[in-house]
Amino acid sequence: MGCQGHTMHRCHSLDLHLLPGGGEAGVKAGSWTVLEIVEALGSCLQSPEPLTRGRGLQLLSQVLLQCHSLLQEEEVTHLVLFYENRLKDHHLLIPSVLQGLRALSMCEVLAPGLAVSVLKAIFQEVHVQSLPQPERHTVYSIITTFMHTREEELKGLGADFTFGFIQVMDGEKDPRNLLVAFQIVRDLILRDYVLGPFVEELFEVTSCYFPIDFTPPPNDPHGIQRDDLIVGLRAVLASTPHFAEFLLPLLIEKMDSELQSAKLDSLQTLSACCTIYGQKELQEFLPSLWSSLRREVFQTASEKVEAEALTTLHSLAACLSRSLLNSDTEDLLDSFLSGILQDCRHHLCEPDMKLVWPSARLLQAAAGASFRATQRITSSVLPLLLEQYNQHAQSSQRRTILEMLLGFLEIQQKWGPQDEEESALLRSRAPLSSVVFSALTDRSVQLQLVGIRALTVLGTLPGLLAPPDVELVVDHLTRLILDADDSQSCMAAMEAAGSLAPLYPGVFSGRMVRRLAEELQSEREEEGQPSLRARCRQALAAVSTHPSIVRETVPVLLQCVQQGQKGSVPADACDVVATCQSLQRVAVQCQGDAESCWYYHQTVVPRLLAAALQATMQEKACPPLGKLLLEEDTLTAMVPVIRAASTHLSPELAAQSVSQVVSLFLDGEVSFLPQDSFSCPFRPFQAGPCAASQRRLVALLMAFVCSLPRDVAIPQQDRLLRELLALSCSCECPFSATAAAKCFAGLVNKHPAGQQLDELLQTVVNRMEAALAAGPCRSQALTLLLWVTRALVIRYHPLSSRLTDQLLGLLGDTELGPSVADGFSLLMADSPDVLHRGCHADVRIMFRQRFFTDNMPKLVQAFHAASPDVQANYLKGLSHVLNYLPRPVLVPELPTLLSLLLEALSCPDCVVQLSTLTCLQPLLLEASPVLSLHVDTLVTKFLGLTASPAMAVRIAALRCIHALASLPTPVLLPYKPRVIRALAKPLDDRKRLVRKEAVVARGEWFLLGSPGR
Amino acid sequence: MVGAPGGGSPLENANPLIYRRSGERPVTAREEDDELPDSIDDREIFDLIRSINDPEHPLTLEELNVVEQVRVKVNDAESTVVVEFTPTIPHCSMATLIGLSIKVKLIRSLPERFKVDVHITPGTHASEHAVNKQLADKERVAAALENSHLLEVVNQCLSARS
């Protein structure tokens, strides 16, 4: 007894001394050797009392876990032998023994042979599945470690290793362990360990978990999801063809299961297997697999299962197509497809057409697997469908058949050009095109639309359209574009023309483009309905998808623009705007091709400039027509055309063009324009007879210079900047002044940093401050300030904070305050014309977040200091900033802004109300506790806003009331009667969208505190 | 008035035919125009009731074809709504409960000016007359909603499906 007491005591003292970290630190530092620790623990390790031995062993294992990397080979050998021996010890000790072995398994200096001996000992001495979960996990860890580091030695064990592991794993229940175990099995198979006679056992021990049925407990700290296990197990089952004979019957059985999840898992696993299986594995099971798959599609219970079944069929067919054939085996693909055809083909001909779609989907899934499969199935189905089409007379049935046909054609498209002369498709060429053409002339729009799609596919398949057919196709499309009553058919025909034009450019330009151009010409004389002109212009743009066609359509479209200037037709601004939109589309389609892009730029930019210039001269002569091109709408529509023509230019060509355009604006150098005699000189930056209208063209200058790549140098940039600055600060016409300000800002944004930029900005700041202080041009100066601020904010320029401060100060200005508040949206939003990435501006990511973090405290502070009559400006500014901020950034900041937001709800401005409501709604849905304190205010304000004159505000307010119901019920119950009563009124709102929200909100409030919610 | 669905008893119609749901009503430009009023039409009423859950199945009344848009008639000017519903089988014991759910949903969702008439599609239920009488009786409807057990079932039918 005394002796035992002594050891106990000693052990305790060791405990205190060594833990935590004492012993490990000692060994690490080299002051203790492992031997010394073992000796110190000696009496404890030899104690007859298992508890005491256990404590000693636990301590030693913990030391080893910390220090295994420092051990010497000899030490490791001794320790391994010691631990192996201890596996035979009392069961209480096993956890510590396994920990120690795990530590030793990680030693790099483990002598050869020891890994095998450790594993043998574990397999022999330990009944793993009777251990608790953590210890089982330790065993898997040891095995995993050895498999990574001692692969060769383990393989020396042969099938014994596999068998040992099977015994270890057999009966495992814990999902954490299963994930590791599945990984081990997978490695066993993929790294070619010897499975020997144990293939079936290994399959049994893993497949018993299939299909995985596991729901993670609530608040599961391990975060293992059902899908993790499914994927882990599937990787095992689908890792080797050796499992096929066992797995396929299992999958077939589970596909017949009632459980949708089991069906899905089986189908997905089968698909995964198809990537490694061959004919041999599948052969025996093909009939049952097919009948199961067919059932899932024919008697579909869920779209998911159906889609999965189709995918699986596709994989099966692909697998059979891939397999190599011996000379003596039959081609299974052929017999498999024959079976499918036999079961599905007749459904396509049944008059009630009940099962046509499932059959077509099955056939298409199989056909899409390989070129061979496509040929086999199309050659059988295509003639049948063509015959069916001609037998059915109704448009709706014909449409169904043509849609199926289209599906098969699209599959054919997948394989690209094939040199097989006798393809099924080529044989049916004539009837196929006659079917498609008949659809195009049918009265049913739906059938026409399918016909157009089929035509597009047909046209892209090589050799299917004979040259006369191509002409016919183009004529059909032209007819649909010009005459179709339905705009859908017309649009579809334009799209089809766009896709086919690059394949047959000659036919399209010779027939369609010419016809459309003629139509535009003749219309001019007859003054026909405007929609036909619009269609012609749109179609010209749509078909401009090939360089040679672009060269023909662009002049026609440009002529339409010039019509407005020449005044031969009383064209209206809408016409010119629409033409510009078509021109822009052409420009975008040209951007990919450098040559077309340059042609387009060279042709369009000078001619648009010349046309506009001509208009400025004519002003006095015939005011109404000449001015058309100078109207704000028209010029604004030309901006995107010039921008699209300039953003994708190569730097050399851009440099050539920029010098011409800049000298036109600065020096009146008109020689590069197609028409170079004008009645008065072009001097937009100087006072002159036509200066007021000439200045409007600065918008076009902006469109061009602000769209160039950043590395294109702009000649005379300083002079240009000075002129723009002067114009923006002094011009009386807001349109010209704004264009100049935007142009200036666009250039400043791309200006390289440095002294030159700093000096320039200093001039601007002085100039703006002077103009803002007093005088007639305050609002122009504000516009300039806003644009320059945006230019600097998006590139993180240090001066931007000074300018922003100035704007914040101006919010308190009684005269300019409201415009400043609106201007905040300009700072945050992407402008279509300048200062965005599309026109190569210097835009840093997350500039909005940065603007928000930098300026929000100042804005809040300034709001509280402001006098009540200008406070609304601050709220509006805030609203704009919040509106453009990404939600995830906004939500954490909202509690600090809450008091301001509550204030903003009382602001009479609709913009403020709307943005505040949209900000509050997500906060309410998250039921932030801070909101519960303000329920009274929130309920009152929201209910008040449901009577707002603006529909959007009423809708937002009702959504907030709905979201309010997420707050804790006890807080809300006192308000329930009031809210329900008040919501009766919006139920009778004159707008349906408002009523819809009111119904949802009121319904939710009825359920509050009521049983069955 | 009616019994709630029995706890362990088998479903009366275990394998009903399922119909396609109509999609969300597309929003038109007119509806987005602040100026123009939109009158309450049949589709709007149908949208109110089509998503009511069936008391027995995890399906909506629309999916079971219990309610159809053609059986909804509204007259906005005269403030009347008539809804006919069709039980899935002629002996459906849930008929009254379904009718009650429709009625409660409409009362909660329509302006007070409306007179709401909910009844069984003629000839589709064994005790059509009795059910219709119960649904038309204001006092009995009110009394039914005092019963907290019944209210719970109705509320479950009306809760948004998660």
Side-chain angles (χ1 to χ4, degrees), chain A residues 978-996:
Chain A
R978 181 175 154 204
V979 171
I980 286 178
R981 219 175 321 119
L983 287 183
K985 195 160 166 280
L987 287 181
D988 213 0
D989 198 281
R990 63 204 182 92
K991 295 305 296 173
R992 184 170 297 133
L993 297 175
V994 179
R995 296 196 291 264
K996 196 172 145 197

Side-chain angles (χ1 to χ4, degrees), chain A residues 118-233:
Chain A
V118 168
L119 287 181
K120 270 186 172 165
I122 292 178
F123 291 160
Q124 200 164 3
E125 304 296 342
V126 189
H127 183 242
V128 177
Q129 285 306 323
S130 54
L131 296 174
Q133 183 271 332
E135 279 66 47
R136 301 201 306 271
H137 195 271
T138 309
V139 175
Y140 295 124
S141 304
I142 296 172
I143 296 175
T144 309
T145 312
F146 281 150
M147 284 176 78
H148 281 136
T149 56
R150 316 270 153 180
E151 187 173 328
E152 286 313 311
E153 289 179 40
L154 263 51
K155 282 184 178 167
L157 262 176
D160 287 352
F161 175 57
T162 311
F163 181 66
F165 176 73
I166 289 171
Q167 284 187 314
V168 166
M169 187 190 168
D170 194 2
E172 181 59 62
K173 287 241 160 48
D174 191 276
R176 288 164 285 179
N177 290 352
L178 277 175
L179 280 182
V180 190
F182 289 157
Q183 184 62 44
I184 294 175
V185 181
R186 198 162 166 242
D187 286 347
L188 276 177
I189 294 166
L190 293 183
R191 296 190 183 201
D192 282 329
Y193 283 79
V194 181
L195 304 185
F198 302 114
V199 174
E200 189 169 359
E201 276 81 358
L202 193 60
F203 175 76
E204 290 294 332
V205 85
T206 45
S207 66
C208 60
Y209 302 99
F210 185 86
I212 295 279
D213 179 24
F214 166 68
T215 320
N219 310 322
D220 175 27
H222 311 292
I224 294 179
Q225 296 297 317
R226 194 166 159 268
D227 280 350
D228 300 333
L229 288 165
I230 289 182
V231 170
L233 178 58

